Amino acid sequence: MSGGFGPGLNALDRLTVILSRIPGVGKKSASRMAYFFLDTDPGYSHSLAEQLLALHRSIRRCSRCGSYTETDPCPICADTGRDPSILCVVERPQDVRIIEESREFRGLFQVLGGLIAPLDGIGPDNLALGQLLGRVRSGGIREVILALNPTVEGDTTALYLRKLLGELNVAVTRLASGLPVGGDLEYADRLTLSRSFRGRIKF
Amino acid sequence: MSGGFGPGLNALDRLTVILSRIPGVGKKSASRMAYFFLDTDPGYSHSLAEQLLALHRSIRRCSRCGSYTETDPCPICADTGRDPSILCVVERPQDVRIIEESREFRGLFQVLGGLIAPLDGIGPDNLALGQLLGRVRSGGIREVILALNPTVEGDTTALYLRKLLGELNVAVTRLASGLPVGGDLEYADRLTLSRSFRGRIKF
C-alpha cells in the first residue's frame, strides 16, 4: 500500500497502461482518458468495447488493393464507375481514405503496406510489390501514380518503384511536392522550396 | 457508395465516431487511433475492450472520501498510518492521485465532485458538501486544506467553503499560488505574478 494506492486502483491502472501504448498518447493523456471513461456513463465504455471487439471481426484486407474493407473486393475495387487504367500507389490503407476525401482521384488503389526503410529493417520484400507488379503486368493500366509521402523513405521507395515499373509499358508519375496552399514562403523549409522550384510549372 | 466508401468501412467509422467523443481527441486523432487498433495485433483491442468492460464493474466511489477505489473504504481512508486530523479537499478523484504522487501529503482526502460554476449550472448542492461538513463536525479534524485549482471556479468554491467551515472549529488553508518552480518571470501572467507577490514569504 505504498504511496497510498496499492491494490486500490488496479483496474484503472491497467486501463491506463494499455491506453498509453496508443501512439501519441502519453501517460498523462492515458490517465485523463481512463478517468473520462470512469466519469462517463458506463454505456459509453461498453459501446467502445463492443466496437473494439467487432473491429478485427468485421474488417479485413481487400484481396485486390490491400485496403481495409468489410467486403471483398472493397467498394472502391468493386466500383465499375472508376477508371481501372490509373493506379494510385499509397503506403497505408488510411492514405486511401485521405485521397478519397479529396475527391480528386477516380482510379484504383494499391496499398504497399509500408515504405522501404533499411534502418528499420524494412526492405522491398516487406511490401506488396508482387501484387502491384501482377496488376500492372496483367495489362489495362496506363499510369501508376506514386502517392507516397515526400520523406526519405517515401523518396527511396518511389525511386525503387520507378526502376521496377520502368521495364513495363506504363507511365509512372509522382504527386507534386512544393508549397502548401495558403502557406507562406517565409515559413517554407529549404527542401520544400527547392522542390517547388524544380517542379515549377508554366503559368 | 458515394465517395467510394459507403458501407465498406462501417466498423472503422463507428469506432472513430465513438473515439472522437473522448475530450481532447479530434476527428483526425480518433481516425489515427482506429487505424492503430486495426494495424495492431487483435489481442491488443481485445485486452483494451476487456479492461473497458471491467472498469465500471471493479471501480466504485469510496463511501468516505468519494475517490475512485476497488475496495470500500479506499486504501487511503483505510490506512491507519495516515494523519486523520488533516483533510485535503479536491475537486476530482484524479486530483487525489496527483497529490499522492507528489508524496507531500499524509492526511486524508475529501473529493467534492466538482466546483461551483453558476454559468454551467453547478451550485453548492451539486458538490459533496454534506459529506465534508459531516466529517468536520464529527470532530478530530484540525485543518482543512483546500487544494482547488487557482481558477475562477476554484476561487469561488474556496471562498464558499471558507465561509461554510468558518463557523466550525477548524483551520482552513489553501495551496499557495505563484510562480511554478523552474519558471521564468518573463513568462508569468499578470495574475500569477500578482498572487506570488501577495503570497510572498519571509526568506
Side-chain angles (χ1 to χ4, degrees):
Chain A
M1 230 172 268
S2 65
F5 273 89
L9 286 178
N10 271 340
L12 199 54
D13 291 339
R14 282 194 299 272
L15 180 60
T16 305
V17 167
I18 293 182
L19 288 170
S20 64
R21 283 178 51 197
I22 302 172
V25 175
K27 199 173 153 267
K28 284 222 170 177
S29 309
S31 173
R32 257 198 300 269
M33 274 189 208
Y35 277 106
F36 165 73
F37 296 143
L38 254 183
D39 290 336
T40 309
D41 169 39
Y44 176 82
S45 303
H46 283 215
S47 35
L48 178 52
E50 268 169 36
Q51 287 306 322
L52 281 166
L53 293 171
L55 192 64
H56 286 91
R57 209 167 51 220
S58 318
I59 308 246
R60 71 199 89 178
R61 296 271 186 165
C62 171
S63 59
R64 292 194 198 169
C65 70
S67 187
Y68 287 129
T69 176
E70 283 189 336
T71 53
D72 192 16
C74 74
I76 295 175
C77 287
D79 186 347
T80 53
R82 299 185 72 112
D83 182 354
S85 71
I86 313 182
L87 200 60
C88 181
V89 174
V90 295
E91 177 191 353
R92 309 160 304 169
Q94 46 268 57
D95 298 329
V96 172
R97 162 161 293 198
I98 294 164
I99 291 170
E100 280 299 287
E101 282 174 356
S102 78
R103 296 170 183 272
E104 193 60 48
F105 178 68
R106 293 296 297 167
L108 299 178
F109 288 93
Q110 176 64 53
V111 176
L112 286 183
L115 293 175
I116 298 172
L119 291 178
D120 298 331
I122 303 173
D125 293 348
N126 302 105
L127 312 183
L129 297 182
Q131 205 169 17
L132 170 62
L133 285 177
R135 291 177 80 179
V136 176
R137 279 204 190 101
S138 70
I141 293 173
R142 56 182 170 88
E143 180 178 354
V144 172
I145 302 175
L146 304 178
L148 307 174
N149 283 337
T151 58
V152 173
E153 291 80 12
D155 291 354
T156 308
T157 311
L159 286 169
Y160 185 86
L161 290 178
R162 191 178 61 182
K163 200 180 151 219
L164 208 67
L165 296 166
E167 303 152 16
L168 304 168
N169 185 29
V170 67
V172 179
T173 57
R174 190 164 180 203
L175 290 192
S177 186
L179 300 174
V181 175
D184 190 319
L185 275 178
E186 194 178 344
Y187 299 114
D189 62 290
R190 207 174 53 79
L191 277 172
T192 301
L193 207 55
S194 152
R195 285 217 179 172
S196 70
F197 265 98
R198 283 189 279 144
R200 68 192 181 275
I201 51 170
K202 202 168 155 58
F203 188 61
Chain B
M1 232 176 268
S2 65
F5 273 89
L9 288 177
N10 272 340
L12 198 55
D13 291 338
R14 281 194 300 270
L15 180 59
T16 305
V17 167
I18 292 181
L19 287 169
S20 65
R21 281 177 52 196
I22 302 172
V25 175
K27 202 175 151 260
K28 284 221 172 179
S29 310
S31 173
R32 259 198 300 270
M33 276 189 206
Y35 276 107
F36 165 74
F37 297 143
L38 254 184
D39 290 337
T40 310
D41 168 37
Y44 176 83
S45 302
H46 283 214
S47 36
L48 179 52
E50 266 168 37
Q51 287 305 324
L52 281 166
L53 293 171
L55 192 65
H56 285 92
R57 209 166 50 219
S58 318
I59 307 247
R60 71 199 86 177
R61 295 272 185 166
C62 172
S63 60
R64 291 195 199 167
C65 71
S67 188
Y68 287 129
T69 177
E70 283 188 337
T71 54
D72 193 15
C74 73
I76 296 176
C77 287
D79 186 348
T80 53
R82 301 187 69 116
D83 182 353
S85 71
I86 312 181
L87 199 60
C88 180
V89 175
V90 296
E91 178 192 352
R92 309 160 305 169
Q94 47 266 58
D95 298 329
V96 173
R97 159 158 297 197
I98 294 163
I99 291 170
E100 280 299 286
E101 281 172 357
S102 79
R103 296 170 182 275
E104 194 59 50
F105 178 68
R106 293 294 300 164
L108 299 178
F109 288 94
Q110 176 64 53
V111 175
L112 286 184
L115 294 175
I116 298 172
L119 291 178
D120 298 330
I122 303 171
D125 294 347
N126 302 106
L127 312 184
L129 297 181
Q131 205 167 16
L132 169 63
L133 285 177
R135 290 175 81 178
V136 176
R137 279 205 189 103
S138 69
I141 293 173
R142 57 184 169 89
E143 181 179 354
V144 172
I145 302 174
L146 305 178
L148 307 174
N149 284 336
T151 57
V152 173
E153 291 81 10
D155 292 353
T156 307
T157 311
L159 286 170
Y160 185 85
L161 290 179
R162 189 178 62 182
K163 201 179 151 221
L164 209 64
L165 296 165
E167 301 152 18
L168 305 167
N169 185 28
V170 67
V172 179
T173 58
R174 189 164 181 203
L175 290 192
S177 186
L179 300 175
V181 175
D184 189 320
L185 275 177
E186 192 178 345
Y187 298 114
D189 62 289
R190 207 173 53 80
L191 276 172
T192 301
L193 206 57
S194 151
R195 285 218 179 172
S196 69
F197 265 99
R198 279 188 281 145
R200 68 191 180 277
I201 51 172
K202 202 169 155 60
F203 188 60

